[in-house]
Amino acid sequence: MSSHIFRIGLTALLGSILASPVFAAEVSYERKAKACELTNQAASLMGQANSQKSAELLWQAAALDPNDAIIQYDLGLSFSNLKRYQEAWKCYQKAVALDPTMTDAWVQLAQAYADCGDSKRALAMVDDIKRRFPRDASALANAERLRIQLTLQAASTTKAGVNSQSLEIFRSEASAAPSDSRKKSAYAWALTKAKEKKNGLIQFKSLVAEAPTNAEYLKGLMWCQTEAGDLEGL
């Protein structure tokens, strides 16, 4: 997602200071100025892929100015880059509490829930984003992308059957990238889980034709042939 790009800049920070809401009224100008300096240092380090040092600087900036939503958001991004997802979602929560219009923070909050393994909460957040920002094309696209990601993950990690909605997502993903064998394979296996043996057989035959020695494809092909009664193909 594009939201892994820092939204910080000196102009943006000073703008948020000058147009500060009630939250920031208790923070002195000196603290804000120092937080601004630390945040710009963090942004330059992030550009050098130094997430650890960047997070340390942003942590200091957040301590100086805890009511700045953008600092909280960028601190969350640093934690996400470090795979410290629980700390990340706490920062995103603070960001959206300070600025409920920050769509990127809502999307990243949902992503952080997913990264923590809480798919149910992440999906609920995706629905919430769609309700909150029905006219924001970028937010809606990112939310839908995450919904598809979570649906595919759930279908690929469960032994339960695949419902029609999930199957359609697999089909769309495979159709949109006909040269992507990984997506084609995912669709083929989804068909087997959905008990669509004949369609699964067609998909696996195509995959085996492309990669005749691939053990995964051969296994899927043999399973479908057996289940579909295509004994001549064995």
Side-chain angles (χ1 to χ4, degrees):
M1 291 184 185
S2 61
S3 48
H4 276 274
I5 299 174
F6 261 41
R7 300 174 61 201
I8 283 296
L10 181 59
T11 302
L13 259 181
L14 290 177
S16 68
I17 292 171
L18 295 174
S20 58
V22 177
F23 292 109
E26 299 177 0
V27 180
S28 68
Y29 176 83
E30 290 76 14
R31 290 171 67 92
K32 284 180 173 292
K34 182 59 177 178
C36 175
E37 178 185 341
L38 290 169
T39 303
N40 281 307
Q41 291 177 27
S44 64
L45 287 171
M46 183 59 72
Q48 301 169 24
N50 193 338
S51 296
Q52 180 62 49
K53 184 60 178 179
S54 178
E56 292 172 4
L57 292 171
L58 286 165
W59 182 269
Q60 295 175 41
L64 288 168
D65 189 0
N67 297 323
D68 190 300
I70 299 178
I71 292 177
Q72 293 293 338
Y73 173 80
D74 285 342
L75 179 56
L77 289 182
S78 287
F79 282 139
S80 290
N81 289 338
L82 292 169
K83 301 187 185 305
R84 293 163 60 177
Y85 300 121
Q86 289 187 338
E87 292 164 286
W89 69 251
K90 291 177 183 178
C91 292
Y92 299 135
Q93 278 189 328
K94 291 178 183 177
V96 298
L98 290 163
D99 183 2
T101 67
M102 187 182 287
T103 56
D104 284 352
W106 285 104
V107 172
Q108 285 300 323
L109 178 56
Q111 181 66 60
Y113 286 148
D115 291 333
C116 286
D118 194 343
S119 297
K120 183 176 181 180
R121 201 171 185 181
L123 284 170
M125 182 61 65
V126 165
D127 291 337
D128 191 34
I129 291 169
K130 292 180 178 180
R131 285 193 296 269
R132 287 176 181 274
F133 309 106
R135 296 181 180 83
D136 189 317
S138 177
L140 292 174
N142 286 330
E144 180 61 15
R145 191 176 299 114
L146 179 55
R147 185 188 70 79
I148 291 174
Q149 172 192 323
L150 290 168
T151 301
L152 295 179
Q153 286 177 351
S156 63
T157 57
T158 179
K159 293 182 179 179
V162 176
N163 61 32
S164 58
Q165 182 183 28
S166 299
L167 190 60
E168 177 57 25
I169 291 173
F170 278 107
R171 188 200 64 76
S172 297
E173 289 284 296
S175 297
S179 61
D180 190 328
S181 58
R182 181 180 58 83
K183 290 184 178 181
K184 290 166 65 177
S185 175
Y187 177 44
W189 282 112
L191 285 166
T192 66
K193 286 187 177 183
K195 309 301 181 183
E196 293 195 16
K197 309 176 187 76
K198 291 186 178 180
N199 287 332
L201 180 59
I202 293 171
Q203 294 300 317
F204 276 116
K205 281 184 175 180
S206 174
L207 286 165
V208 169
E210 296 174 5
T213 61
N214 186 293
E216 178 190 354
Y217 302 162
L218 290 169
K219 178 182 176 182
L221 177 61
M222 291 179 67
W223 186 90
C224 288
Q225 287 174 329
T226 302
E227 292 297 312
D230 184 13
L231 301 181
E232 291 184 1
L234 291 174

